[in-house]
PDB file of all heavy atoms in Angstrom:
ATOM      1  N   SER A  38     -45.794 -67.558 -24.742  1.00 87.00           N
ATOM      2  CA  SER A  38     -44.561 -67.900 -25.409  1.00 87.00           C
ATOM      3  C   SER A  38     -43.405 -67.271 -24.609  1.00 87.00           C
ATOM      4  O   SER A  38     -43.543 -66.318 -23.895  1.00 87.00           O
ATOM      5  CB  SER A  38     -44.556 -67.350 -26.813  1.00 87.00           C
ATOM      6  OG  SER A  38     -44.682 -65.947 -26.819  1.00 87.00           O
ATOM      7  N   ILE A  39     -42.230 -67.889 -24.831  1.00 89.00           N
ATOM      8  CA  ILE A  39     -41.012 -67.446 -24.118  1.00 89.00           C
ATOM      9  C   ILE A  39     -39.916 -67.416 -25.191  1.00 89.00           C
ATOM     10  O   ILE A  39     -39.704 -68.335 -25.938  1.00 89.00           O
ATOM     11  CB  ILE A  39     -40.586 -68.391 -22.995  1.00 89.00           C
ATOM     12  CG1 ILE A  39     -41.682 -68.499 -21.961  1.00 89.00           C
ATOM     13  CG2 ILE A  39     -39.315 -67.931 -22.307  1.00 89.00           C
ATOM     14  CD1 ILE A  39     -41.489 -69.568 -20.916  1.00 89.00           C
ATOM     15  N   VAL A  40     -39.151 -66.286 -25.234  1.00 88.00           N
ATOM     16  CA  VAL A  40     -38.036 -66.122 -26.158  1.00 88.00           C
ATOM     17  C   VAL A  40     -36.763 -65.910 -25.265  1.00 88.00           C
ATOM     18  O   VAL A  40     -36.792 -65.010 -24.419  1.00 88.00           O
ATOM     19  CB  VAL A  40     -38.214 -64.952 -27.073  1.00 88.00           C
ATOM     20  CG1 VAL A  40     -37.011 -64.771 -27.982  1.00 88.00           C
ATOM     21  CG2 VAL A  40     -39.496 -65.173 -27.986  1.00 88.00           C
ATOM     22  N   VAL A  41     -35.720 -66.662 -25.631  1.00 89.00           N
ATOM     23  CA  VAL A  41     -34.408 -66.504 -24.953  1.00 89.00           C
ATOM     24  C   VAL A  41     -33.452 -66.025 -25.997  1.00 89.00           C
ATOM     25  O   VAL A  41     -32.758 -66.820 -26.623  1.00 89.00           O
ATOM     26  CB  VAL A  41     -33.903 -67.791 -24.291  1.00 89.00           C
ATOM     27  CG1 VAL A  41     -32.641 -67.551 -23.498  1.00 89.00           C
ATOM     28  CG2 VAL A  41     -35.001 -68.358 -23.353  1.00 89.00           C
ATOM     29  N   PRO A  42     -33.258 -64.694 -26.189  1.00 85.00           N
ATOM     30  CA  PRO A  42     -32.349 -64.178 -27.187  1.00 85.00           C
ATOM     31  C   PRO A  42     -30.868 -64.380 -26.774  1.00 85.00           C
ATOM     32  O   PRO A  42     -30.513 -64.069 -25.633  1.00 85.00           O
ATOM     33  CB  PRO A  42     -32.651 -62.674 -27.320  1.00 85.00           C
ATOM     34  CG  PRO A  42     -33.825 -62.483 -26.448  1.00 85.00           C
ATOM     35  CD  PRO A  42     -34.006 -63.650 -25.543  1.00 85.00           C
ATOM     36  N   GLU A  43     -30.042 -64.905 -27.665  1.00 79.00           N
ATOM     37  CA  GLU A  43     -28.678 -65.114 -27.393  1.00 79.00           C
ATOM     38  C   GLU A  43     -27.891 -63.771 -27.138  1.00 79.00           C
ATOM     39  O   GLU A  43     -26.979 -63.728 -26.354  1.00 79.00           O
ATOM     40  CB  GLU A  43     -27.952 -65.877 -28.519  1.00 79.00           C
ATOM     41  CG  GLU A  43     -28.412 -67.294 -28.729  1.00 79.00           C
ATOM     42  CD  GLU A  43     -27.937 -68.155 -27.571  1.00 79.00           C
ATOM     43  OE1 GLU A  43     -26.801 -67.974 -27.110  1.00 79.00           O
ATOM     44  OE2 GLU A  43     -28.669 -69.119 -27.178  1.00 79.00           O
ATOM     45  N   SER A  44     -28.295 -62.728 -27.829  1.00 76.00           N
ATOM     46  CA  SER A  44     -27.522 -61.481 -27.731  1.00 76.00           C
ATOM     47  C   SER A  44     -28.004 -60.639 -26.540  1.00 76.00           C
ATOM     48  O   SER A  44     -27.484 -59.617 -26.231  1.00 76.00           O
ATOM     49  CB  SER A  44     -27.795 -60.696 -28.999  1.00 76.00           C
ATOM     50  OG  SER A  44     -29.150 -60.401 -29.194  1.00 76.00           O
ATOM     51  N   LEU A  45     -28.999 -61.093 -25.772  1.00 81.00           N
ATOM     52  CA  LEU A  45     -29.522 -60.318 -24.643  1.00 81.00           C
ATOM     53  C   LEU A  45     -29.274 -61.069 -23.361  1.00 81.00           C
ATOM     54  O   LEU A  45     -30.113 -61.836 -22.932  1.00 81.00           O
ATOM     55  CB  LEU A  45     -31.020 -60.014 -24.874  1.00 81.00           C
ATOM     56  CG  LEU A  45     -31.704 -58.941 -24.106  1.00 81.00           C
ATOM     57  CD1 LEU A  45     -31.033 -57.627 -24.347  1.00 81.00           C
ATOM     58  CD2 LEU A  45     -33.122 -58.884 -24.440  1.00 81.00           C
ATOM     59  N   LYS A  46     -28.069 -60.862 -22.752  1.00 85.00           N
ATOM     60  CA  LYS A  46     -27.711 -61.620 -21.570  1.00 85.00           C
ATOM     61  C   LYS A  46     -28.447 -61.045 -20.322  1.00 85.00           C
ATOM     62  O   LYS A  46     -28.543 -59.855 -20.119  1.00 85.00           O
ATOM     63  CB  LYS A  46     -26.188 -61.486 -21.276  1.00 85.00           C
ATOM     64  CG  LYS A  46     -25.348 -62.075 -22.341  1.00 85.00           C
ATOM     65  CD  LYS A  46     -25.539 -63.540 -22.456  1.00 85.00           C
ATOM     66  CE  LYS A  46     -24.690 -64.130 -23.581  1.00 85.00           C
ATOM     67  NZ  LYS A  46     -25.178 -65.375 -24.070  1.00 85.00           N
ATOM     68  N   GLY A  47     -28.988 -61.978 -19.521  1.00 88.00           N
ATOM     69  CA  GLY A  47     -29.670 -61.596 -18.273  1.00 88.00           C
ATOM     70  C   GLY A  47     -31.102 -61.250 -18.478  1.00 88.00           C
ATOM     71  O   GLY A  47     -31.767 -60.831 -17.515  1.00 88.00           O
TER      72      GLY A  47
END
Side-chain angles (χ1 to χ4, degrees):
S38 63
I39 302 171
V40 176
V41 183
E43 290 291 325
S44 61
L45 198 59
K46 298 293 180 203

